Amino acid sequence: MSNLYNEMLDFAKKNIAPFTDVVDSEARFPFESFEAIKDKKLTGLLVPKEYGGMDLGFYEHTQTVLAFANYCATTALCYMMHNVATNCLATHGSEELKKEFLPKIANGEIMLALAYSESGTGTHFYNPEIKVTKDGQILSMNGRKSFVTSAQYADYYLIDANSFDSEGLDNWLVSKDLAGINFEHNAWNGLGMRGNASCPMILENVKIDERFRIGAAGSGLDQIFNTVGPFFIMGLAAVYSGVALNASNSIIDYSMNRKYSDNSALCGIPTVQNHISDIYSKAASAKYFTLSAAKSVIEADPMAQANVLAARIHASSMAVDVCTTAMKIGGGTAYAKRINIERLLRDSLAAAVMAPSTDVLTTWLGKALTNQEII
């Protein structure tokens, strides 16, 4: 493992961890953490060097998200989605768009997010109902996105919509400041991941310019499955691996410092030792499976696609298992929310429902392993 992971762990400890509790308790976006991320120019992690970025790739994306999630899953999730959108722009955008936006992203001036989910298609976010229509020379976008992470806090959103001049889908880069865009902030009161501002985005006759279309007409679905999907799914594996690691580290530390009247520690109890062993093994397995799957992608391993899907499924399961067992060790103190395990358990539960859900992913993995088309 390169030094990047440890460097980002240190950054997260100093710049993300101090705000994690208030982000959760107040259900507010992690402004302070993202100011630090922008100041360090980490918004440009995946921006090519010629546009002023760090010119890093899939493995470094996974490492950085994993490091951030060790301290705040919400921040890691929002950052991951920024990276996913940025990479799509850098890979498929026109030279005009790349020259206009990538230097600003690299310099920490703007942040991106995804706006894919719709209530009409649920976890199948690649089947949008939102439409772009053309009247003369005017393009209008209409529809509603149901769960938009970093809603209003990101500057631009990658939005998938049915193509107005081709079969299939288009990806669009859309500014939050365009007339006709509104966010339903009161609609978000998450059980976990409470600071990600994941609320509906309403688009009513939003006028868009064709130059903000990413790639060729109708190429959106290909972008989603071959560019957006791998970075997104791998990013989620990193997020939930980080949740598991956070819970493991936290409860081990608690067990060592929780003392009884005879000065013996909680970790001296054999049952607790067994639980700690199980927790550490599961959290470590999520971490190393995730990093190994990411490495298999950059090494062009024939099993890379299956590895990425399996890593996401495994990390999601391990996060819930680790947090549930950690609650047992923490006992009444954890149940009374006096330590962070209760928050981490709530964060972990998002894994099963966040699109693409684990049920969808297991189907995809079964198809990938038997040489079937995923969709």
Side-chain angles (χ1 to χ4, degrees):
M1 189 185 305
S2 75
N3 289 330
L4 180 67
Y5 177 70
N6 292 328
E7 180 186 341
M8 291 300 100
L9 270 180
D10 185 59
F11 171 86
K13 184 177 182 179
K14 294 174 182 175
N15 298 285
I16 293 175
F19 310 105
T20 303
D21 287 340
V22 71
V23 163
D24 178 72
S25 63
E26 297 182 6
R28 70 167 177 82
F29 189 76
F31 304 105
E32 300 91 345
S33 298
F34 273 93
E35 283 305 306
I37 287 168
K38 290 176 180 179
D39 287 345
K40 195 172 172 63
K41 308 297 193 290
L42 295 176
T43 46
L45 188 87
L46 302 180
V47 174
K49 190 172 294 183
E50 59 263 38
Y51 302 100
M54 297 174 68
D55 204 26
L56 298 177
F58 195 80
Y59 189 64
E60 292 82 6
H61 163 70
T62 306
Q63 286 181 301
T64 304
V65 173
L66 176 62
F68 288 2
N70 269 262
Y71 293 100
C72 180
T74 286
T75 301
L77 180 72
C78 296
Y79 175 76
M80 178 272 286
M81 292 194 181
H82 162 81
N83 277 354
V84 171
T86 297
N87 182 64
C88 188
L89 171 61
T91 304
H92 298 286
S94 67
E95 191 58 33
E96 179 187 10
L97 273 187
K98 290 191 285 187
K99 285 180 177 178
E100 181 176 352
F101 287 98
L102 291 181
K104 294 177 183 177
I105 293 170
N107 199 40
E109 295 174 38
I110 59 175
M111 174 184 163
L112 308 186
L114 302 177
Y116 280 175
S117 298
E118 297 182 20
S119 58
T121 55
T123 192
H124 301 283
F125 59 86
Y126 45 87
N127 290 323
E129 295 180 330
I130 196 167
K131 296 188 182 301
V132 174
T133 55
K134 188 171 185 178
D135 183 7
Q137 297 301 310
I138 299 175
L139 293 176
S140 300
M141 181 177 284
N142 284 277
R144 181 179 185 271
K145 294 295 184 178
S146 54
F147 291 101
V148 178
T149 298
S150 305
Q152 196 171 356
Y153 300 107
D155 300 287
Y156 288 84
Y157 297 85
L158 196 63
I159 297 180
D160 62 331
N162 291 296
S163 183
F164 71 93
D165 60 351
S166 175
E167 292 293 322
L169 311 179
D170 290 330
N171 260 326
W172 295 86
L173 190 64
V174 179
S175 169
K176 71 176 176 64
D177 296 324
L178 293 180
I181 293 180
N182 291 287
F183 297 92
E184 295 180 356
H185 284 289
N186 59 358
W188 177 246
N189 184 20
L191 174 68
M193 301 286 189
R194 286 175 53 76
N196 71 5
S198 187
C199 68
M201 176 189 208
I202 295 85
L203 302 103
E204 295 182 298
N205 294 317
V206 176
K207 301 300 183 286
I208 55 176
D209 190 310
E210 192 169 341
R211 73 187 185 88
F212 288 93
R213 176 161 55 182
I214 307 294
S219 66
L221 190 63
D222 177 69
Q223 293 173 34
I224 287 172
F225 273 88
N226 294 311
T227 303
V228 171
F231 276 80
F232 184 78
I233 294 170
M234 196 77 263
L236 287 177
V239 168
Y240 292 110
S241 295
V243 170
L245 290 166
N246 193 342
S248 176
N249 292 333
S250 296
I251 205 63
I252 289 172
D253 183 67
Y254 173 77
S255 74
M256 294 170 67
N257 289 288
R258 168 65 169 97
K259 298 295 177 67
Y260 294 100
S261 55
D262 63 358
N263 206 39
S264 64
L266 178 61
C267 63
I269 300 173
T271 301
V272 172
Q273 294 163 1
N274 290 339
H275 284 326
I276 288 172
S277 173
D278 181 56
I279 281 173
Y280 176 81
S281 298
K282 286 179 175 177
S285 73
K287 172 184 177 180
Y288 289 109
F289 192 174
T290 293
L291 292 171
S292 176
K295 188 164 285 188
S296 75
V297 170
I298 62 175
E299 292 175 349
D301 187 323
M303 296 301 294
Q305 182 186 51
N307 291 341
V308 169
L309 294 170
R312 155 72 160 102
I313 295 166
H314 180 73
S316 303
S317 176
M318 291 303 96
V320 174
D321 287 355
V322 165
C323 292
T324 302
T325 305
M327 284 290 290
K328 292 181 182 179
I329 297 174
T333 301
Y335 190 77
K337 305 182 183 181
R338 294 173 191 151
I339 54 177
N340 67 348
I341 300 303
E342 176 267 347
R343 169 175 58 79
L344 293 169
L345 176 59
R346 287 187 285 104
D347 286 346
S348 75
L349 294 173
V353 298
M354 187 171 293
S357 69
T358 49
D359 285 341
V360 170
L361 288 165
T362 53
T363 300
W364 287 0
L365 178 57
K367 289 182 177 182
L369 293 170
T370 53
N371 297 319
Q372 299 179 62
E373 289 290 330
I374 286 180
I375 60 167

